[in-house]
Amino acid sequence: MKSKIIEQDCIELIPKIENLLPLMEGKTFLITGSNGLIGNYFVTLLDTLNRERQLNIMTHCISKHEPIWTNETFKFETKDLTFDKIQIPSPYIVDYIIHCACFAR
């Protein structure tokens, strides 16, 4: 389930990053640790930008746990990066990598 608190934070953040939005439009992001607190914030922000500003951002999320929530703007992969390599399937070209994975158990 998506957090309403995080979603509201992201809505309030958008005017503060207005100058960065052209750099994000139509780009693909890879987010590791996407179920953690910081990773979830990034996923929620990118999803919110797609809904509020129609930026057409694609997000490839990787976490060792099943997804908290999903939608059509991102792909989710369950993988433990301690043991597995990241392999992005074609036709993805990753423009930005946000590494939020850690060894927390």
Side-chain angles (χ1 to χ4, degrees):
M1 172 177 19
K2 192 187 315 187
S3 167
K4 295 294 181 188
I5 294 171
I6 295 175
E7 190 171 17
Q8 186 60 41
D9 283 350
C10 292
I11 290 170
E12 292 174 14
L13 178 65
I14 292 173
K16 297 174 184 176
I17 62 168
E18 194 75 41
N19 61 325
L20 299 176
L21 300 185
L23 300 172
M24 301 167 77
E25 186 171 6
K27 302 297 184 189
T28 298
F29 286 74
L30 168 66
I31 301 178
T32 63
S34 58
N35 278 350
L37 178 65
I38 296 170
N40 189 24
Y41 258 93
F42 277 112
V43 172
T44 303
L45 175 62
L46 297 174
D47 178 59
T48 303
L49 287 170
N50 279 338
R51 284 185 292 102
E52 298 289 322
R53 299 295 177 96
Q54 292 77 43
L55 292 184
N56 194 31
I57 297 169
M58 291 300 298
T59 308
H60 188 90
C61 305
I62 298 176
S63 179
K64 70 178 182 177
H65 303 289
E66 293 297 317
I68 298 170
W69 56 278
T70 62
N71 73 18
E72 68 281 350
T73 63
F74 61 89
K75 307 289 184 225
F76 193 90
E77 186 175 351
T78 304
K79 177 179 280 205
D80 186 344
L81 295 177
T82 306
F83 305 106
D84 300 323
K85 293 181 182 179
I86 297 174
Q87 292 185 346
I88 305 300
S90 292
Y92 289 113
I93 296 173
V94 175
D95 298 295
Y96 299 103
I97 298 172
I98 302 173
H99 182 56
C100 300
C102 69
F103 287 106
R105 304 242 181 233

